[in-house]
Amino acid sequence: VGLVVWGVNAGLKERREERATEALTQVTPKPNLKAPDSAAVKALEKFALDYAGTRAAREAQFTRANLLYGLALYGDAAKAYESLLGSGNPDWDLLVSESLSYCYEGQGDYKKAAATLKPVVEKISGPLKSEVMRRLALLFDLAKEPKEAAVYWRQLVEKPPDPVLGPYFQEKLAAAEAGSKK
C-alpha cells in the first residue's frame, strides 16, 4: 500500500512539474531591447505562487528578480533574490548570491555587495573565477577597503586571465596598496 501511495504521489508531483514548466513559457517575457515590463513582474509573481514548490516556480522567481533589477528596483530585486537562497543546490545559490551582490551594488552598499560576493569567489573555479575576483576587488575599492581589494588584485596579477590585462591589474594593485598605507 505504501509503495502504491508513494508511486501515485510521485506521478502527481511529476505531472504538476510538467504543467508548471508548460505554463512558465506563457508568462516568461520574451527578450527584447526595451525596458523590462512591470506587468511581467506581476505575472511571474502570481505564477510563482500558483506553482509554489516546483522548479518552474523557482525559475519564475529568478526571472522576476532579474526583471526587478532591470527596472532599477534594487531593494525589491534584493528581496526576491534573498528568497531564493538556501535551495540546497550550491551552484544555484552561487548564481543567486552573485546576482544579489549586483543589487547591493546598485543600492550603493558596496561593503554588503563585497561580503555577498566573497563566498562566491571562494567556491568557484575556471575562467569565471577571475571575472568574479575582478569585480570583488572593484567592490572593495568602491567600499574604500584598499587592503581587501589588494588581496584580489594581487591574485589577478599573479594569474591574469588575459596577459593584456596584466598592466591594468598591476596598476590597480599599486593603487590599493598605496591606499592601505594611508
Side-chain angles (χ1 to χ4, degrees), residues 41 45 61 64-69 71-83 100 103-104 107:
V41 171
E45 183 175 25
Q61 288 174 299
R64 178 180 170 271
N66 288 339
L67 290 175
L68 288 167
Y69 179 84
L71 290 165
L73 299 171
Y74 303 124
D76 292 338
K79 287 177 191 168
Y81 286 123
E82 287 166 352
S83 74
L100 184 57
C103 295
Y104 297 143
Q107 292 174 318

Side-chain angles (χ1 to χ4, degrees), residues 13 16-17 20 44-61:
K13 185 178 179 184
R16 185 168 189 262
E17 287 284 354
L44 288 165
E45 183 175 25
K46 181 182 180 327
F47 176 89
L49 291 172
D50 292 347
Y51 291 95
T54 64
R55 291 181 301 271
R58 191 171 58 231
E59 249 183 80
Q61 288 174 299

Side-chain angles (χ1 to χ4, degrees), residues 15-31:
R15 281 193 289 282
R16 185 168 189 262
E17 287 284 354
E18 289 170 5
R19 283 194 313 271
T21 301
E22 289 172 15
L24 181 59
T25 62
Q26 302 302 314
V27 296
T28 302
K30 306 297 180 250

Side-chain angles (χ1 to χ4, degrees), residues 90-121:
D91 294 333
W92 175 263
D93 288 344
L94 290 174
L95 174 64
V96 171
S97 293
E98 182 186 10
S99 300
L100 184 57
S101 74
Y102 280 104
C103 295
Y104 297 143
E105 182 181 4
Q107 292 174 318
D109 193 343
Y110 304 116
K111 284 185 182 184
K112 194 170 185 179
T116 303
L117 196 58
K118 193 171 182 178
V120 174
V121 166

